[in-house]
């Protein structure tokens, strides 16, 4: 086959184009803290035509929901750029490249500051030595001017990361953490020039350059640490395929950008390639690395008719896929949106930190001003008073407080996603930490929700094969379970099949009439129930005895272990189900669940959970994401097992993929650890300020010491949060 790439040949194939969307995504530069996010979001939300605006600090992604008739994406971009935050279309690759550039810029600035600091310090040592050996004023002033010649250009270059950020904030009439830093550095340099010009004994070029050096070390390490804690959403965006091979009706292959795909298009996915869009296999059988969706490392076998998702990797033979969703409509994009929404959620601790940081910024300048006035009034002299003010400006920067919660939330959500657990609620971890009882739904939660034949070993193989051949003509779950339990030999001929909804199937098998369905409909009389407790169907054929097929819902593989671990963690475990009491009792006994209720409607489940809440219980409801939506909403926190297609529809705070119930234990354990680390970070930030601020105001901390202390506090809370990446999850 020929591969055709010219755009003019593709344009006709995609002539219908892409429908207009009501959401758009941008990459925003120069955002450093919660204050930047608040300014952008508040401005956009008050703009006519914009329904919602959310900024993610980790991915630097701005998502805007808008009314196309009232405002255009270009207008939104211009509006945000006008606030001092350059905006362009979102691109994960560009984001990574920008992060690398920022890191290199910080490294260069740090190298310049370090080189200058070392040389200025040598000159300063000479001046200090000369003070005791009788250096004359002219020589000392010369050394000061030499220090200035080294320090001034170094400060101008190395300080640009701080100066640019501070200037942007001031232009938009706001404050950020770089304003007091820039002010402190410029005051120190300016005072040193003034002192040198008048031939004074002391200058502080060494302090100002070394101050910048340590600030840059702190900023670089902070950047590196936060890049390690970067949202998993950023990494997920990198899983998108860049190009696709489209197969036309006449068999021609055309190479195109993924953005040009549209629903209905057929694409070929070769071995080792990522799927470019969501779709359905129409030709070929293969295995997919679907860990992105299921959280499991075992490859997933797919065949014609199977639903597949963008970002998964084809591990086997080439397949043809008919596209059903592209771009922002794919499951991958949906997961990214949900992850970002969770990371941006305003939980109680996040709101507390944001409020404290907003109050803290103006308080920094007030405290520094009062320190300056106080020392000046006390007769210390304006130079010494200014040094105290500079140290106070630096040491009171609220970086640690601003990082205390968000960095933990980002790391925690990434750890959950690595295990196939999607955090959908911003305060989900906080509420999950508080739970003291876990309530499970039965069908589809503790069990897989797919019936299996239980008495196949008791049946004649030829009868089982004929019944399975008839069952294969129906989509009913019990019929499908029966059909999958036995081989379908070519010698069995099935025709004239009629399905009676609610009753069963009838047809001709090898020329003889047969029925498969309910006991009464099949014509079985006088049968005494032996109490199997599960669903059943009956099969009868002309001239033969009726055969009973019994089914049971399989427990999830680790259901018993999960319930035992939850009980060992001190949590109460109970079960609610709409199924019959005898069926629920069997499951409860097997799992050692003493508290259970059966035959419940959705409303009755909600009433039961409300009753527990009135008793003061904090309930985690674990149920099917679609069928148990009211009960999930009624719980203090909620989790749902779901297939990929259920993710966006589930009402749960957490959605876990795959067959394992251990996700419940993992999520609770991580919630406990992350909440503990948030409290630790608050304690660290509080203790830092309680100790550092009085020392700076009292004159016991020079600007250099203040810079080291401020950088260390920010790095400390970030590294504390990063411990979540390495801690083993234990049930306790």
């Amino acid at each position: 086959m020929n591969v055709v790439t010219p755009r003019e040949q593709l344009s006709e194939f995609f002539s219908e184009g892409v429908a207009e969307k009501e959401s758009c995504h941008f990459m925003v530069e120069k955002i450093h803290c919660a204050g930047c996010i608040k300014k952008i979001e508040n401005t956009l939300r008050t703009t006519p035509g914009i329904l919602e605006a959310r900024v993610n600090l980790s991915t630097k992604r701005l998502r805007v929901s808008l009314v196309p008739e009232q405002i255009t994406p270009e207008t939104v971009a211009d509006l945000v750029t006008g606030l001092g935050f350059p905006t362009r279309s979102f691109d994960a690759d560009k984001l990574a490249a920008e992060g690398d550039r920022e890191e290199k810029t910080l490294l260069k600035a740090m190298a310049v500051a370090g080189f200058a600091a070392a040389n200025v310090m040598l000159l300063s040592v000479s001046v200090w030595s000369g003070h005791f050996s009788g250096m004359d004023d002219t020589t000392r002033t010369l050394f000061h001017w030499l220090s200035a010649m080294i320090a001034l250009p170094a400060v101008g270059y190395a300080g640009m990361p701080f100066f640019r950020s501070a200037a942007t904030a001031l232009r938009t009439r706001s404050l950020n953490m770089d304003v007091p830093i820039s002010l402190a550095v410029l005051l120190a340099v300016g005072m040193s020039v003034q002192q040198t010009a008048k031939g004074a004994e002391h200058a502080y070029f060494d302090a100002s350059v070394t101050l910048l050096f340590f600030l840059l070390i702190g900023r670089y390490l902070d950047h590196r640490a936060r890049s390690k804690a970067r949202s998993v959403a950023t990494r997920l965006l990198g899983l998108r395929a860049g190009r696709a091979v489209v197969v036309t009706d006449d068999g021609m292959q055309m190479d195109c950008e993924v953005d040009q795909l549209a629903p209905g298009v057929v694409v070929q996915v070769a071995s080792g390639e990522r799927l470019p869009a969501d779709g359905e296999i129409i030709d070929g059988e293969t295995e997919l690395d679907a860990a992105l969706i299921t959280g499991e490392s075992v490859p997933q076998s797919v065949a014609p008719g199977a639903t597949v998702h963008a970002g998964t990797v084809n591990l086997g033979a080439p397949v043809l896929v008919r596209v059903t969703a592209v771009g922002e409509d794919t499951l991958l994009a949906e997961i990214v949106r949900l992850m970002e929404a969770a990371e941006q959620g305003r939980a109680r601790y996040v709101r507390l930190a944001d409020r404290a940081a907003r109050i803290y910024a103006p308080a920094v300048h007030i405290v520094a001003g009062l320190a300056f006035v106080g020392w000046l009034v006390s007769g210390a002299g304006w130079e010494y008073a200014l040094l105290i003010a500079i140290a106070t400006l630096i040491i009171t920067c609220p970086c640690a407080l601003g990082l205390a919660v968000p960095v933990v939330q980002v790391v925690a959500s990434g750890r959950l996603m690595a295990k196939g657990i999607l955090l959908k609620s911003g305060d989900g971890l906080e509420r999950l930490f508080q739970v003291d009882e876990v309530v499970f739904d039965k069908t589809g939660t503790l069990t897989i929700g797919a019936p299996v034949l239980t008495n196949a070993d008791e049946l004649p193989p030829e009868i089982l094969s004929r019944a399975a051949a008839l069952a294969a003509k129906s989509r009913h779950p019990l019929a499908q379970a029966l059909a999958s339990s036995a081989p379908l030999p070519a010698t069995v001929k099935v025709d004239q099949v009629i399905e009676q909804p609610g009753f069963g199937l009838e047809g001709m098998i090898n020329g003889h009439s047969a029925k498969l369905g309910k006991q009464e409909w099949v014509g079985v009389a006088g049968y005494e129930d032996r109490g199997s407790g599960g669903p059943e169907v009956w099969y009868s054929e002309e001239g033969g005895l009726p055969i009973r097929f019994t089914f049971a819902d399989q427990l999830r593989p680790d259901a018993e272990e999960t319930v035992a671990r939850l009980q060992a963690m001190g949590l109460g475990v109970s079960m609610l189900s709409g199924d019959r009491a005898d069926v629920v009792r069997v499951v409860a006994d097997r799992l050692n669940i003493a508290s259970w209720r059966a035959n419940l409607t959705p409303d009755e489940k909600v009433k039961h959970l409300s009753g527990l809440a009135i008793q003061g219980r904090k309930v985690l409801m674990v149920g099917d994401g679609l069928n148990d939506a009211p009960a999930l909403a009624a719980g203090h926190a909620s989790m749902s097992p779901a297939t990929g297609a259920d993710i966006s529809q589930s009402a749960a705070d957490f959605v876990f993929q795959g067959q394992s119930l251990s996700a419940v234990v993992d999520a609770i354990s991580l919630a406990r650890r992350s909440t503990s680390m948030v409290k630790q970070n608050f304690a660290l930030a509080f203790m830092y300020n309680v100790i550092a601020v009085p020392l700076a105001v009292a004159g016991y901390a020079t600007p250099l010491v203040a810079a080291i202390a401020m950088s260390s506090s920010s790095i400390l809370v970030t590294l504390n949060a990063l411990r979540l990446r390495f801690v083993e999850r234990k049930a306790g």
Side-chain angles (χ1 to χ4, degrees):
M1 296 182 182
N2 295 326
V3 177
V4 182
T5 57
R7 178 173 293 272
E8 57 270 17
Q9 290 184 290
L10 289 172
S11 61
E12 181 179 351
F13 191 73
F14 300 109
S15 57
E16 294 185 3
V18 180
E20 187 176 29
K21 296 183 179 180
E22 295 186 353
S23 64
C24 50
H25 302 257
F26 304 95
M27 186 160 62
V28 184
E29 301 176 12
K30 299 183 180 180
I31 53 174
H32 301 289
C33 60
C36 303
I37 292 175
K38 181 177 177 60
K39 186 171 186 64
I40 295 172
E41 291 181 349
N42 287 351
T43 301
L44 292 181
R45 286 171 183 166
T46 56
T47 302
I50 295 180
L51 306 176
E52 183 185 11
R54 299 301 297 270
V55 180
N56 186 287
L57 181 60
S58 298
T59 61
K60 296 186 177 180
R61 184 177 189 178
L62 166 63
R63 179 171 60 88
V64 179
S65 297
L66 51 81
V67 180
E69 292 78 11
Q70 298 183 26
I71 192 169
T72 65
E74 291 76 15
T75 304
V76 174
D78 292 342
L79 185 60
V80 177
T81 301
L83 295 174
F85 305 98
T87 304
R88 60 178 183 272
S89 58
F90 187 86
D91 187 306
D93 294 333
K94 289 182 180 178
L95 176 62
E98 181 185 291
D100 292 340
R101 283 197 301 271
E102 184 176 352
E103 188 172 305
K104 290 178 181 177
T105 298
L106 289 173
L107 270 176
K108 291 177 181 178
M110 186 169 62
V112 170
F115 177 79
N119 284 277
V120 172
M121 189 62 70
L122 287 175
L123 293 170
S124 297
V125 169
S126 301
V127 173
W128 298 337
S129 302
H131 178 74
F132 298 102
S133 60
M135 178 183 289
D136 60 75
D137 294 344
T138 303
T139 305
R140 183 182 61 242
T141 301
L142 174 63
F143 274 56
H144 284 165
W145 280 119
L146 290 174
S147 298
M149 292 173 64
I150 298 172
L152 290 176
V155 168
Y157 178 81
M160 288 308 296
F162 304 102
F163 301 155
R164 288 197 185 103
S165 176
T168 299
L170 293 175
R171 278 198 303 269
T172 57
R173 300 180 182 179
S174 61
L175 297 173
N176 65 10
M177 64 182 71
D178 290 330
V179 172
I181 290 175
S182 301
L183 184 59
V185 171
L186 293 176
L187 283 175
V189 172
M191 185 175 69
S192 297
V193 172
Q194 189 270 343
Q195 292 288 82
T196 301
K198 72 175 187 179
E201 183 177 351
H202 297 291
Y204 307 99
F205 294 112
D206 53 348
S208 58
V209 179
T210 311
L211 163 64
L212 257 186
F213 179 55
F214 279 105
L215 286 171
L216 284 165
I217 291 175
R219 178 64 58 92
Y220 175 76
L221 293 177
D222 176 57
H223 182 275
R224 290 283 295 174
R226 290 179 69 184
S227 67
K228 290 183 179 294
R230 179 165 290 168
S231 165
V232 70
T234 304
R235 298 193 293 274
L236 288 176
L237 287 171
L239 299 180
R240 298 179 301 182
R243 304 189 67 81
V245 177
V246 174
V247 180
T248 62
D249 293 338
D250 59 4
M252 180 177 291
Q253 294 184 1
M254 300 188 295
D255 182 75
C256 71
E257 297 285 345
V258 169
D259 294 341
Q260 294 180 282
L261 295 179
V265 170
V266 175
V267 296
Q268 178 173 282
V269 184
S271 177
E273 292 184 349
R274 291 191 182 276
L275 271 67
D278 289 0
E280 178 183 347
I281 301 286
I282 60 173
D283 184 50
E285 297 183 6
T286 187
E287 288 189 333
L288 297 179
D289 178 358
L292 163 69
I293 307 301
T294 65
E296 298 178 354
S297 58
V298 178
Q300 174 186 353
S301 298
V302 293
T307 299
V308 292
H309 300 285
T312 55
V313 181
N314 182 12
L315 300 177
V319 291
L320 294 181
V321 179
R322 178 175 286 109
V323 174
T324 57
V326 298
E328 292 299 320
D329 297 325
T330 62
L331 175 64
L332 178 61
E334 178 67 17
I335 291 176
V336 170
R337 286 194 292 269
L338 294 173
M339 288 292 297
E340 290 185 341
E343 290 177 358
Q344 293 168 244
R346 301 297 192 254
R348 179 168 58 92
Y349 288 126
V350 177
R351 293 193 296 269
L352 177 62
D354 285 350
R355 284 197 299 270
R358 286 197 298 271
I359 296 172
Y360 211 73
V364 168
H365 297 85
I366 294 173
V367 171
L370 291 176
F372 175 76
V373 173
W375 281 96
L376 194 62
V377 171
S378 68
W382 74 269
E383 294 95 341
Y384 187 74
L386 187 58
L387 278 178
I388 299 298
I390 292 170
T392 304
L393 280 172
I394 297 167
I395 211 165
T396 52
C397 181
C399 303
L401 188 61
L403 289 171
V405 182
V407 71
V408 174
Q409 201 164 9
V410 169
V411 174
S413 62
R415 287 286 291 168
L416 287 172
M417 189 64 190
K419 295 290 287 184
I421 306 170
L422 178 63
L423 171 61
K424 295 181 60 182
S425 172
D427 60 349
L429 283 170
E430 187 177 309
R431 286 185 281 112
L432 190 59
F433 164 76
Q434 299 167 345
V435 302
D436 52 22
E437 180 160 348
V438 181
V439 176
F440 286 99
D441 171 55
K442 182 183 75 69
T443 305
T445 305
L446 288 171
T447 65
I448 296 175
V452 292
L453 184 64
T454 58
N455 64 336
D457 295 339
E458 305 170 6
L459 304 173
E462 64 277 5
I463 295 292
L464 179 58
S465 295
R466 292 199 292 271
L470 180 59
K473 303 297 182 180
S474 172
R475 301 305 300 171
H476 189 279
L478 294 181
Q480 290 294 299
L482 176 55
S484 63
S485 65
L488 304 179
T491 56
V492 177
K493 181 181 180 182
V494 181
D495 53 17
Q496 300 181 30
V497 177
I498 299 175
E499 183 168 6
Q500 299 289 340
F503 295 95
L505 295 163
E506 60 179 326
M508 302 297 292
I509 297 182
N510 293 339
H512 300 281
S513 63
K515 280 188 173 183
L516 178 70
K518 288 186 174 181
Q519 177 184 349
E520 300 82 3
W521 185 74
V522 169
V524 179
Y527 170 74
E528 181 180 351
D529 190 353
R530 294 193 295 271
S532 68
E536 64 181 32
V537 296
W538 285 80
Y539 174 77
S540 68
E541 58 183 42
E542 185 179 348
L545 295 175
I547 300 294
R548 180 185 185 223
F549 298 94
T550 59
F551 300 86
D553 195 0
Q554 281 185 308
L555 285 175
R556 289 182 180 262
D558 59 347
E560 294 181 56
E561 179 187 358
T562 297
V563 170
R565 291 175 66 189
L566 290 171
Q567 292 169 338
M569 294 169 70
L571 298 169
V573 180
S574 57
M575 178 171 59
L576 305 179
S577 178
D579 211 340
R580 302 195 315 270
D582 54 351
V583 178
V584 178
R585 183 184 295 109
V586 171
V587 174
D589 290 344
R590 183 172 173 182
L591 297 178
N592 195 28
I593 297 177
S595 176
W596 57 271
R597 294 186 63 184
N599 295 310
L600 296 181
T601 65
D603 287 344
E604 289 171 335
K605 290 183 181 180
V606 172
K607 289 179 182 178
H608 180 79
L609 294 175
S610 299
L612 291 175
I614 292 173
Q615 297 171 22
R617 308 289 288 178
K618 303 292 187 183
V619 176
L620 167 63
M621 178 65 200
V622 186
D624 186 282
L626 301 179
N627 300 332
D628 290 318
L632 292 170
H636 185 69
S638 54
M639 293 188 71
S640 171
T643 62
D646 296 331
I647 287 178
S648 62
Q649 303 172 47
S650 173
D653 299 317
F654 301 82
V655 175
F656 63 91
Q657 304 300 301
Q659 300 297 329
S660 176
L661 266 182
S662 63
V664 179
V665 178
D666 289 342
I668 294 174
S669 298
L670 190 72
R672 291 180 173 184
R673 295 184 186 280
S674 62
T675 302
S676 174
M677 287 185 176
V678 165
K679 293 178 179 178
Q680 291 172 17
N681 279 354
F682 270 125
L684 289 171
F686 178 75
M687 289 173 57
Y688 162 75
N689 286 288
V690 166
I691 297 172
V693 174
L695 288 176
V697 173
Y700 292 108
T702 65
L704 180 58
V705 172
I708 297 172
M710 187 272 288
S711 298
S712 300
S713 66
S714 299
I715 295 169
L716 187 61
V717 297
T718 302
L719 292 177
N720 186 52
L722 285 173
R723 289 194 300 125
L724 279 174
R725 293 166 58 95
F726 309 106
V727 174
E728 290 292 329
R729 297 179 186 177
K730 298 179 182 178

